[in-house]
Amino acid sequence: MSTLAHTMMTAARSADSGLATPGELDRYPYVEAPGTDRGTGWDTAEPDLGRVGRRTAGSRGRGLHGQLVQQLGQMIVSGDLGADRPLVPEEIGQRFEVSRTVVRESLRVLEAKGLVSARPNVGTRVRPVSDWNLLDPDIIEWRAYGPQRDDQRRELSELRWTIEPLAARLAAEHGREDVQQRLTDMVEIMGHALGQGDALTFARADNEFHSLLIQVAGNRMLEHLSGIVSAALHVSGGPVTGCERPNETSLAHHARIVDALAGGDGAAAEAAMRQLLTVHPEVERVVPAPREH
């Protein structure tokens, strides 16, 4: 076994003993302080191939295939594997001690995300940022924990300001009692979690609240974007919104949205959502003020 593989598996076992087994790879924590030295490469001759990253929710439980997608994806998004960089399947398989099938399937997933391209007589190469599917939840999270973290979080905040107030207005106009009850349940769970200091339960209920709201808006294209909001909540951090710091004000705005939906008041639902997204003043410097109608 190579020194790299042994080191990575040792780190994986210490971080999550239920995931790593002989021959598997896990990831080191990704976020580092500015100026911190990053890991070395696959070997000393390839220093730019070496940083492995933070495990995201989308890749948990997918075995070697998911782990390799995660590692290569983060290397590409972080810039460790630059545009037009050739990816040789045989080399990847050897370095990460995975089968040819695992490498092939992983590269197919990355190709579907727009991160790599495979062409006859050319091979597999990393594609430029302009070709990436930037709305893919995995890419959103990889960017949010990489060198582009500030840009990604700013862009997510701006996009949420476009998506969610509109979704709230439409949801009020397409009222469904079953969904409204579920939204009410989520607010109650969030309130209980806040009282217990349970940030994880609060975050899970918050995530479901926002996903349900988009799904009930009655717009298939908006519904397709619900994964973006989930990813945004998952990678919360500056700039921040009210959803990302459990507090009474945030909870109150969620409750106002539910009340507006129950009353079929689209304007009130939209206004409450805008208030929720600007609980913290730093957000006002990131997103535009709502236009007066």
Side-chain angles (χ1 to χ4, degrees):
M1 177 185 298
S2 68
T3 301
L4 173 67
H6 175 75
T7 301
M8 295 174 72
M9 286 194 294
T10 300
R13 291 191 184 98
S14 65
D16 187 353
S17 59
L19 177 63
T21 58
E24 290 189 345
L25 302 175
D26 200 353
R27 284 150 295 278
Y28 297 135
Y30 188 89
V31 180
E32 67 273 309
T36 301
D37 289 338
R38 293 167 179 164
T40 58
W42 283 353
D43 56 31
T44 55
E46 300 281 355
D48 63 330
L49 293 178
R51 185 170 65 189
V52 293
R54 178 186 184 278
R55 178 159 52 112
T56 67
S59 294
R60 294 187 180 115
R62 294 192 300 194
L64 284 176
H65 164 255
Q67 294 181 39
L68 186 57
V69 168
Q70 186 74 9
Q71 296 201 33
L72 293 177
Q74 287 185 329
M75 288 178 183
I76 293 169
V77 170
S78 69
D80 286 348
L81 295 175
D84 209 37
R85 174 67 184 252
L87 298 178
V88 182
E90 292 76 10
E91 180 182 359
I92 295 173
Q94 179 182 4
R95 300 298 185 184
F96 290 102
E97 297 188 339
V98 294
S99 70
R100 188 175 303 175
T101 299
V102 170
V103 174
R104 182 172 60 250
E105 292 303 315
S106 298
L107 291 177
R108 285 179 179 173
V109 172
L110 295 175
E111 185 174 17
K113 296 176 183 294
L115 295 178
V116 305
S117 61
R119 291 181 293 174
N121 303 320
V122 175
T124 301
R125 290 183 175 271
V126 176
R127 300 172 71 173
V129 177
S130 57
D131 291 342
W132 299 355
N133 178 8
L134 295 178
L135 300 183
D136 182 282
D138 280 336
I139 294 180
I140 288 174
E141 188 164 352
W142 295 338
R143 290 184 71 208
Y145 288 99
Q148 304 171 53
R149 60 173 67 90
D150 291 340
D151 286 341
Q152 178 63 97
R153 289 167 178 168
R154 173 184 55 79
E155 291 167 2
L156 283 172
S157 293
E158 293 171 348
L159 197 55
R160 287 186 66 187
W161 259 70
T162 301
I163 295 172
E164 295 197 76
L166 173 61
R169 174 184 286 273
L170 293 176
E173 297 171 358
H174 296 82
R176 283 177 46 188
E177 292 185 3
D178 57 333
V179 176
Q180 289 178 5
Q181 181 58 53
R182 185 61 178 164
L183 290 171
T184 300
D185 292 343
M186 291 303 102
V187 172
E188 291 180 357
I189 291 172
M190 292 164 68
H192 181 74
L194 181 63
Q196 298 294 317
D198 186 352
L200 179 59
T201 298
F202 187 99
R204 288 173 174 170
D206 184 32
N207 195 320
E208 182 166 350
F209 180 97
H210 289 268
S211 295
L212 281 170
L213 192 65
I214 292 176
Q215 291 169 20
V216 77
N219 184 305
R220 294 288 181 86
M221 296 186 73
L222 275 180
E223 185 176 343
H224 186 71
L225 299 177
S226 62
I228 297 173
V229 174
S230 294
L233 292 169
H234 186 69
V235 301
S236 60
V240 294
T241 70
C243 302
E244 290 140 9
R245 293 180 184 174
N247 54 52
E248 293 289 349
T249 303
S250 172
L251 184 65
H253 286 315
H254 283 85
R256 290 190 186 98
I257 292 171
V258 172
D259 290 343
L261 295 180
D265 190 339
E270 180 178 0
M273 179 60 76
R274 290 190 183 279
Q275 290 176 329
L276 173 61
L277 295 177
T278 53
V279 166
H280 298 287
E282 57 262 45
V283 178
E284 295 178 359
R285 298 194 297 268
V286 175
V287 295
R291 294 181 178 179
E292 296 294 333
H293 296 288

